[in-house]
């Protein structure tokens, strides 16, 4: 009887939560665009939806720029030793990494946190944290590492794409197809690289535990971005 009552209470809470979400969605999208009084409200709601994606994109782009610059010798160069070398920011890969972080990592990371926060809803907080960490390490880690390596190879080293500003030449269709295939192979088909990155990802496990156990949802992307400075320097070895 106690178990049945507990299940009923859990079901009621989930139904209440679902009704609240449906009401929010109805309020957000069921506005009459022909009513002048609702147009400013609609624009405001659209800005509210887009704002976190834009903010996370700018933040992630900045972090990826710093991380790639460090990998390119911002703080250490073999011939000169330790120091501060701003010329590292002029490397093409820094620009490419900044664009990848701004246009892909930031928005996708924000969306990932939103999705798992709504999907993972066990009664036990411990189960919630463990499931989120596993999804972060395995699902998000593999998807993002593959995407990053693919985009960086597509933008830099792949035949036919080259660096920004270079011409494609006379065999553009062939070169583009060859470049895309090469980047896709490096990003998604190289099993050894992904196995190595999964092992490297274990180094970030303490940050994941803090992220899902302590850091609130709205600040998680900021917390992850701080760790991404180190992670981008690791990824740069494989792109």
């Amino acid at each position: 009887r106690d178990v049945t009552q507990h299940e009923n209470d859990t079901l009621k809470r989930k139904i209440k939560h679902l009704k609240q979400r449906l009401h929010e969605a109805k309020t957000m999208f069921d506005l009459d665009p022909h009513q002048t009084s609702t147009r400013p409200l609609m624009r405001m709601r659209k800005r509210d939806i887009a704002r976190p994606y834009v903010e996370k994109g700018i933040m992630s782009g900045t972090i990826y720029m710093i991380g790639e610059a460090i990998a390119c010798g911002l703080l250490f160069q073999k011939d000169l030793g330790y120091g501060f070398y701003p010329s590292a920011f002029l490397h093409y890969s820094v620009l490419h990494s900044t664009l990848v972080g701004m246009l892909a990592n930031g928005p996708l990371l924000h969306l990932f946190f939103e999705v798992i926060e709504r999907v993972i809803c066990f009664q036990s907080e411990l189960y919630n944290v463990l499931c989120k960490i596993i999804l972060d390490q395995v699902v998000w880690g593999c998807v993002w590492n593959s995407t990053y390596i693919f985009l960086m190879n597509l933008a830099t080293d792949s035949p036919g794409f080259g660096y920004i500003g270079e011409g494609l030449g006379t065999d553009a269709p062939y070169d583009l197809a060859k470049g895309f295939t090469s980047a896709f192979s490096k990003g998604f088909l190289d099993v050894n690289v992904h196995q190595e990155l999964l092992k490297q990802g274990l180094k970030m496990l303490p940050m994941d535990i803090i992220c899902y156990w302590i850091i609130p949802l709205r600040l998680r992307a900021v917390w992850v971005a701080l760790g991404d400075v180190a992670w981008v320097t690791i990824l740069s070895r494989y792109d």
Side-chain angles (χ1 to χ4, degrees):
R1 184 177 300 175
D2 294 337
V3 174
T4 304
Q5 183 64 32
H6 177 71
E7 292 177 350
N8 290 335
D9 293 340
T10 303
L11 183 60
K12 288 179 181 179
R13 285 196 298 270
K14 290 184 177 180
I15 293 174
K16 183 179 178 180
H17 178 74
L18 181 59
K19 287 181 178 180
Q20 290 176 349
R21 293 296 182 185
L22 290 174
H23 178 72
E24 292 174 0
K26 188 175 186 301
T27 303
M28 185 178 299
F29 295 107
D30 289 352
L31 295 175
D32 186 3
H34 300 290
Q35 296 179 1
T36 56
S37 61
T38 62
R39 287 179 181 176
L41 181 59
M42 289 181 64
R43 288 195 294 267
M44 183 180 67
R45 291 183 184 278
K46 290 178 180 178
R47 287 197 300 268
D48 290 340
I49 294 172
R51 183 181 294 116
Y53 292 94
V54 175
E55 292 175 349
K56 301 305 188 299
I58 294 174
M59 176 190 65
S60 185
T62 304
I63 294 298
Y64 270 64
M65 176 183 66
I66 296 172
E68 187 68 24
I70 293 174
C72 291
L74 179 64
L75 302 178
F76 175 79
Q77 294 187 6
K78 292 182 179 180
D79 298 334
L80 302 175
Y82 288 97
F84 183 74
Y85 307 100
S87 59
F89 285 106
L90 301 178
H91 199 280
Y92 280 112
S93 64
V94 175
L95 172 61
H96 299 149
S97 185
T98 302
L99 293 175
V100 169
M102 182 180 298
L103 301 177
N105 179 262
L108 288 176
L109 185 61
H110 178 77
L111 181 62
F112 173 75
F113 283 141
E114 291 286 345
V115 169
I116 65 170
E117 191 66 24
R118 301 190 183 202
V119 172
I120 307 299
C121 53
F122 295 109
Q123 294 296 318
S124 172
E125 184 65 21
L126 179 60
Y127 289 162
N128 286 332
V129 173
L130 289 177
C131 287
K132 291 174 184 177
I133 290 175
I134 292 173
L135 288 175
D136 187 295
Q137 285 281 322
V138 179
V139 178
W140 168 255
C142 290
V143 170
W144 174 245
N145 292 340
S146 299
T147 303
Y148 179 84
I149 294 172
F150 167 70
L151 292 175
M152 288 296 290
N153 278 277
L154 195 65
T156 56
D157 300 328
S158 296
F161 289 84
Y163 292 116
I164 293 175
E166 289 185 356
L168 291 175
T170 57
D171 298 327
Y174 171 78
D175 289 339
L176 287 171
K178 185 177 180 181
F180 182 88
T181 304
S182 175
F184 185 87
S185 176
K186 292 179 181 179
F188 294 97
L189 303 181
D190 195 333
V191 178
N192 294 328
V193 169
H194 293 296
Q195 289 178 346
E196 183 64 26
L197 285 173
L198 285 174
K199 295 178 182 178
Q200 295 285 349
L202 295 176
K203 298 177 180 179
M204 312 299 291
L205 190 59
M207 290 199 66
D208 283 343
I209 296 174
I210 296 174
C211 176
Y212 293 108
W213 194 276
I214 299 174
I215 306 298
L217 176 62
R218 66 182 184 277
L219 297 178
R220 283 178 187 169
V222 179
W223 174 258
V224 172
L226 296 176
D228 275 349
V229 175
W231 185 243
V232 172
T233 60
I234 294 175
L235 277 178
S236 64
R237 304 173 189 170
Y238 301 92
D239 60 15

